[in-house]
Amino acid sequence: MSSLTLPDNQDNAAISVVDFSPFLDGSNKQGVADEILSSFKRVGFVYLLNHGLPQERIAKMFAVSKEFFAQPTEVKELAPHPPSGTHHRGYSALGREKIVQPTFNGEGEIRAAVPDVKEHFECGREDDADRPNIWLPDGILPGFKENCLEFYWLCHEVEMNVLRALAVGFGLAEDYFTQYHGAADNQLRLLHYPRVPAEAIRNGSVGRITAHSDYASLTLLLQDDVGGLEIEDPKVAGLFRPAPPITDALIVNAGDFMMRWSNDTIRSTVHRVRAPPACETSDGTIPERYSIPYFCSADRNTILECVPGTWDTENPKKYEPISASEYTRKRLAAAY
C-alpha cells in the first residue's frame, strides 16, 4: 500500500493506493481491508490496483462511449432521459443536469448557478421495472446496449468485493454489506465533457462538474488521462486538491448514504471536476474528457440502521433508520 502525495498535502489528505489482489486471492484479506477502511475514514477515497475489472473491457467500454457521443445530437436524443429527475436513464444533453450540493442561507436551499458542461448516458439493470432502461432504437449503434449491460455486471462484481472488504475492515461478517446490495439497484454512467475555453473554466462562467458529494453507498470511477478530478481537503473547507489518474487504477469513493450508515465513521468527501492547467492547449482550450462512474446503491426498500461497532453510549447513533429509496429519491430529483 502507498499513499498518493498531493501537492502541499498533509497526511490527512492523502488518498491511499491499495493493491486489491491480496484480498481477492485470500492471501491478506484483513490487511487490505484495513487499508481501504483507513483511507475511507481519512479522506473518503481510495485508489485500487488489481481491482478485478479486466483492462481490455475497460478500454472497450471507453471506445463504446466515445462512439456513442460522436453521434449527431438527433441520434443520441432517440434515447432521451425522461422528464422525471428520479429516473436517471438514457441520454442527457449538454447543460441539462445541474449537480446540486444542498446549501442553505436561512431562507431555503440554494441551487448551483452554473450549468455543468457535460453530456451523459445512463443505464441500470435490464429488469428494473421502476426505472426501465432507455436504449437507442434497434439497428442504431449495434452492440451499444450489450456492451453497456455486460460492463454493468462486471462493475457489480467489483462493488460486491469492495463491500466485502469494508465489512472485514469493520470486523463484521463478509456479507454484512453485500446482503443489502444484492438487487444491484445501481447506475452506470458514460460521461463526456466537450472541449471548452480554458478562460471560461477559470472565471467560473462554465463548469464541468461543480462541487458535490455522491449520495449512495459507493462510486467506482474510471477516468481517462486528461484528469480534472479534485477532492476537498478534509481539514480545510473549500480547498480542493487534485486526484489525478493513476494508470490501471480504479478510484472508489464513499457516498453520503455510506457515511450516514457508518455513523460518520466513513467520510463522503465533496469533489468536483475542473480543468488541469497542464491540459490547456495552444489555442486556449481544455481538451475533451471521458469518464465512467458506476454508482452503487443499497437495495431500495431495505431499512438500514447504523453499522454495528460505529456507535456506543459515548458516541450514540446520529441518524434514524432510513431506506435507500427514501434517501436517494430526494437527491436524484434535485439534479433536474
Side-chain angles (χ1 to χ4, degrees):
M1 186 272 288
S2 63
S3 292
L4 180 67
T5 304
L6 305 180
D8 301 319
N9 258 5
Q10 302 298 318
D11 287 344
N12 64 286
I15 305 172
S16 295
V17 182
V18 178
D19 182 355
F20 201 36
S21 58
F23 184 88
L24 296 178
D25 65 23
S27 62
N28 187 16
K29 284 192 171 185
Q30 190 66 58
V32 172
D34 290 345
E35 290 168 2
I36 291 172
L37 182 57
S38 174
S39 196
F40 274 1
K41 286 179 176 180
R42 189 177 64 254
V43 73
F45 279 73
V46 67
Y47 287 91
L48 293 185
L49 298 171
N50 301 311
H51 40 71
L53 269 177
Q55 292 300 323
E56 64 271 15
R57 289 299 301 128
I58 294 172
K60 174 66 174 177
M61 199 64 237
F62 272 105
V64 167
S65 176
K66 291 178 181 180
E67 185 180 16
F68 173 81
F69 290 117
Q71 302 302 307
T73 299
E74 59 268 24
V75 171
K76 292 179 285 191
E77 290 283 10
L78 294 174
H81 188 293
S84 169
T86 60
H87 186 178
H88 277 347
R89 300 291 186 265
Y91 171 69
S92 293
L94 294 173
R96 182 170 183 203
E97 182 188 55
K98 185 186 295 181
I99 295 295
V100 176
Q101 184 67 21
T103 55
F104 298 88
N105 64 356
E107 300 177 356
E109 187 174 317
I110 305 171
R111 292 179 63 86
V114 179
D116 297 326
V117 181
K118 66 184 188 304
E119 56 180 339
H120 47 92
F121 178 88
E122 291 148 325
C123 71
R125 54 186 171 87
E126 189 72 337
D127 61 347
D128 189 342
D130 294 330
R131 299 172 193 167
N133 285 324
I134 300 170
W135 301 107
L136 294 169
D138 290 345
I140 298 178
L141 214 60
F144 177 72
K145 172 181 174 180
E146 292 76 12
N147 278 291
C148 286
L149 290 174
E150 180 185 358
F151 199 74
Y152 180 91
W153 290 108
L154 287 173
C155 289
H156 179 57
E157 293 177 17
V158 176
E159 167 200 2
M160 298 298 266
N161 283 325
V162 174
L163 290 170
R164 291 184 182 102
L166 278 180
V168 172
F170 275 114
L172 303 170
E174 271 195 32
D175 68 347
Y176 178 79
F177 291 110
T178 59
Q179 66 183 313
Y180 301 116
H181 291 77
D185 286 329
N186 301 333
Q187 175 187 338
L188 175 67
R189 170 176 282 196
L190 310 180
L191 263 168
H192 173 229
Y193 305 84
R195 183 178 293 271
V196 292
E199 181 58 28
I201 292 284
R202 284 194 291 268
N203 66 28
S205 60
V206 302
R208 285 201 149 170
I209 293 184
T210 50
H212 67 286
S213 57
D214 293 342
Y215 55 80
S217 298
L218 300 172
T219 300
L220 314 182
L221 176 66
L222 297 160
Q223 56 177 334
D224 64 14
D225 58 4
V226 173
L229 177 65
E230 298 178 348
I231 68 169
E232 189 173 41
D233 189 294
K235 300 288 186 173
V236 185
L239 176 61
F240 285 83
R241 302 186 183 278
I246 294 179
T247 302
D248 296 339
L250 174 71
I251 300 177
V252 184
N253 66 279
D256 294 346
F257 193 77
M258 181 61 76
M259 182 174 72
R260 177 187 179 118
W261 198 355
S262 71
N263 206 35
D264 290 354
T265 302
I266 287 175
R267 290 180 179 272
S268 177
T269 302
V270 171
H271 51 284
R272 67 187 184 187
V273 177
R274 298 279 284 178
C279 288
E280 184 172 343
T281 58
S282 59
D283 63 356
T285 62
I286 301 297
E288 62 183 350
R289 176 181 186 261
Y290 294 87
S291 67
I292 304 175
Y294 183 78
F295 302 107
C296 310
S297 298
D299 299 345
R300 292 175 192 155
N301 296 321
T302 303
I303 305 298
L304 301 174
E305 300 197 40
C306 290
V307 173
T310 63
W311 57 276
D312 53 30
T313 54
E314 295 183 357
N315 180 37
K317 295 179 182 180
K318 300 176 183 177
Y319 305 102
E320 295 297 320
I322 192 172
S323 70
S325 61
E326 178 185 354
Y327 185 79
T328 59
R329 186 165 47 244
K330 297 175 182 178
R331 293 291 301 270
L332 283 169
Y336 273 74

